[in-house]
Amino acid sequence: MTIYQNLIAGEWTGADAVENINPSDTKEVVGLYASGSAADTKNAIAAAKAAFPAWSRSGIWERHVILKKAGDEIMARKDELGALLAREEGKTLPEAIGETIRASQIFEFFAGEALRLAGEVVPSVRPNIGVEITREPLGVIGIITPWNFPIAIPAWKIAPALCYGNTVVFKPAELVPGCSWAIVDILNRAGLPKGVLNLVMGKGSVVGQTMLDSPDLAGITFTGSVGTGKRVAVSSIEHNRKIQLEMGGKNPMVILDDADLNVAVEAAANSAFFSTGQRCTASSRLIVTEGIHDRFVAAMTEKLKSLNVDHALKTGTHIGPVVDERQLKTDIDYIEIGRQEGAKLAFGGELISRDTPGFYLQPALFTEATNQMRISREEIFGPVASVIRVKDYDEALAVANDTPFGLSSGIATTSLKHATHFKRNAEAGMVMVNLPTAGVDFHVPFGGRKGSSYGSREQGKYAAEFFTVVKTAYTLA
Ligand code: UN1
């Protein structure tokens, strides 16, 4: 089998490799991918540093053309890359193709942003002096991405980094290197100068740690667990480094008595269980008012019965497998914790077998949960959700906000008054009315509050805040 290598200083390199396994069929090896060393990581950082002066002054048309070309190629290959994504991560083929299209759109968007770079010219408060405010590239950016969005999250960090003139050392999640390798290959062939984008696949404890220890990374943008995010933060203070962290979520979905039941069930099922619940925007707390509670639980259970859990590439699959054995164990442990805490398992939660050996788990729905239980406070990151019964809207809002996290917050209601109040008072970076908590647009800001996020927003034109540094220049006329 050929080894998909790391890209360091414009050269493909690396002989040590690990297997990329398909969670829908653990007999299938998706490919062999290089596992970089500390020395590889240092070389990549040095290459990015050396490439920075020229790339930071490159023309906006050059950046536009490269990003546009990459976006076009990803779109042209959406079915093939979507299948690769579904094979390595386990989300269903339609979800995986959708994510691939999103990655293409992100490159298109930032290709356009490259042409819209602008500053401000303002008068000084002193006579005969002019003031210019401009944005300059930050420097070498470290990009560390999670396994659950193998193509969209790399795209939404790499595209703005390059658009604004930064160079990059990119470490994708060890579990899903395939899509990352593909987009680096695409960008490399699209004409990026050597060293501008370096790919170092490998272990967090080796590649990631070397990145954290480096004084040469001006910024790190990270999506992943709370624990690792904290380590990125602590190491970055020491190096005076800018950071952007997207970590966990424990997103609430409020369902009020006046909700359209179908809308509520569709939004809740999508939020909690699509992409196998493996989204930081997933909802795992369904906060339901008394008057609709029993009807909602009955309709959700019916909906869950209609969802097929199976091989990600199989037509008709609604929910793919859990990503790997470790995550499966976490999910099962939490289902046991929920039982012991006194929540009632209303549906699912059991391991299931299919034609191929994979990590198949029947989505689990708890009822009679309280917001104090561990299953309501800790991020599980799997197809496990709990229904929390509340009296009225006021209690629902209080419970929704009673969490250490604050990424996305949803409500199903037909009341303008409650929807409006919820949009203003939900303590979250994103609020969804009659929509799933997950599944976001690519051209508007993405991010959360409290324990979910740290630093400025990702995506859309707000991405410039992280990937640039502002300069204020004064000139005597
Ligand atoms: C989405 O809900 O469309 O890791 C995106 C995550 C998020 C991305 C969610 N950063 O799940």
Side-chain angles (χ1 to χ4, degrees), residues 381-404:
F381 222 64
V384 184
S386 317
V387 175
I388 301 170
R389 189 198 300 256
V390 291
K391 207 165 62 265
D392 54 15
Y393 170 74
D394 291 335
E395 189 186 351
L397 176 66
V399 170
N401 286 337
D402 176 12
T403 168

Side-chain angles (χ1 to χ4, degrees), residues 307-356:
L307 298 177
N308 302 323
V309 181
D310 210 327
H311 195 298
L313 293 180
K314 208 165 176 176
T315 314
T317 296
H318 299 105
I319 297 174
V322 173
V323 73
D324 72 349
E325 197 158 8
R326 204 172 112 200
Q327 182 61 49
L328 184 66
K329 184 174 181 317
T330 303
D331 298 347
I332 289 169
D333 286 351
Y334 271 110
I335 292 167
E336 188 49 38
I337 289 167
R339 274 208 191 96
Q340 284 173 9
E341 287 179 311
K344 181 172 155 248
L345 191 57
F347 183 86
E350 64 274 1
L351 285 175
I352 45 184
S353 56
R354 291 293 177 255
D355 294 345
T356 47

Side-chain angles (χ1 to χ4, degrees), residues 82-382:
L84 171 65
L85 199 170
R87 282 166 69 216
E88 68 176 346
E89 199 269 350
K91 65 180 66 172
T92 67
L93 188 59
E95 287 175 329
I97 293 174
E99 188 187 328
T100 307
I101 293 171
R102 192 201 297 203
S104 161
Q105 290 164 328
I106 290 164
F107 279 102
E108 296 281 342
F109 178 85
F110 284 104
E113 284 301 279
L115 300 180
R116 283 188 287 268
L117 287 173
E120 289 178 78
V121 177
V122 299
S124 166
V125 291
R126 291 169 282 162
N128 300 326
I129 292 176
V131 182
E132 291 157 37
I133 304 160
T134 50
R135 286 190 178 275
E136 295 187 354
L138 184 60
V140 180
I141 309 265
I143 294 180
I144 303 177
T145 58
W147 51 258
N148 64 332
F149 282 85
I151 196 161
I153 294 181
W156 85 43
K157 294 181 190 291
I158 292 171
L162 299 176
C163 164
Y164 297 114
N166 302 284
T167 57
V168 172
V169 176
F170 168 36
K171 184 222 168 290
E174 224 194 332
L175 271 180
V176 293
C179 291
S180 293
W181 188 93
I183 61 175
V184 170
D185 171 53
I186 289 168
L187 281 160
N188 185 44
R189 283 187 289 98
L192 273 185
K194 284 183 193 302
V196 170
L197 173 62
N198 302 275
L199 171 70
V200 194
M201 300 173 284
K203 287 195 189 335
S205 57
V206 178
V207 178
Q209 191 59 48
T210 307
M211 289 168 73
L212 299 196
D213 293 341
S214 172
D216 291 326
L217 296 182
I220 292 186
T221 174
F222 165 85
T223 300
S225 70
V226 173
T228 308
K230 289 239 159 86
R231 287 187 21 226
V232 174
V234 169
S235 72
S236 295
I237 285 175
E238 193 151 329
H239 297 296
N240 208 18
R241 180 196 290 145
K242 203 168 170 181
I243 49 173
Q244 181 179 54
L245 310 177
E246 288 301 336
M247 301 171 286
K250 196 69 198 173
N251 308 297
M253 171 97 213
V254 169
I255 289 128
L256 296 186
D257 286 355
D258 63 32
D260 176 316
L261 188 62
N262 285 332
V263 168
V265 168
E266 288 305 313
N270 179 319
S271 302
F273 303 117
F274 286 13
S275 298
T276 321
Q278 298 173 151
R279 296 187 280 196
C280 57
T281 44
S283 173
S284 48
R285 294 188 298 140
L286 309 173
I287 301 164
V288 186
T289 48
E290 269 165 3
I292 197 171
H293 178 276
D294 293 355
R295 278 183 297 139
F296 174 77
V297 170
M300 264 304 268
T301 312
E302 281 313 302
K303 174 78 187 174
L304 279 167
K305 283 184 193 153
S306 75
L307 298 177
N308 302 323
V309 181
D310 210 327
H311 195 298
L313 293 180
K314 208 165 176 176
T315 314
T317 296
H318 299 105
I319 297 174
V322 173
V323 73
D324 72 349
E325 197 158 8
R326 204 172 112 200
Q327 182 61 49
L328 184 66
K329 184 174 181 317
T330 303
D331 298 347
I332 289 169
D333 286 351
Y334 271 110
I335 292 167
E336 188 49 38
I337 289 167
R339 274 208 191 96
Q340 284 173 9
E341 287 179 311
K344 181 172 155 248
L345 191 57
F347 183 86
E350 64 274 1
L351 285 175
I352 45 184
S353 56
R354 291 293 177 255
D355 294 345
T356 47
F359 307 112
Y360 298 108
L361 177 65
Q362 193 67 254
L365 183 70
F366 279 110
T367 54
E368 311 304 331
T370 72
N371 201 44
Q372 302 317 316
M373 293 176 176
R374 282 182 64 195
I375 53 166
S376 303
R377 304 211 76 78
E378 298 168 18
E379 184 175 50
I380 300 172
F381 222 64

Side-chain angles (χ1 to χ4, degrees), residues 30-80:
V30 177
L32 286 178
Y33 289 83
S35 186
S37 63
D40 291 333
T41 314
K42 286 181 184 157
N43 290 339
I45 295 170
K49 194 177 174 187
F52 180 72
W55 182 249
S56 66
R57 287 186 204 102
S58 60
I60 57 173
W61 183 247
E62 181 183 358
R63 294 183 215 164
H64 167 83
V65 168
I66 292 169
L67 294 171
K68 172 88 170 66
K69 245 182 165 171
D72 288 347
E73 182 171 338
I74 293 169
M75 192 63 93
R77 293 171 57 193
K78 67 178 171 32
D79 294 335
E80 171 218 335

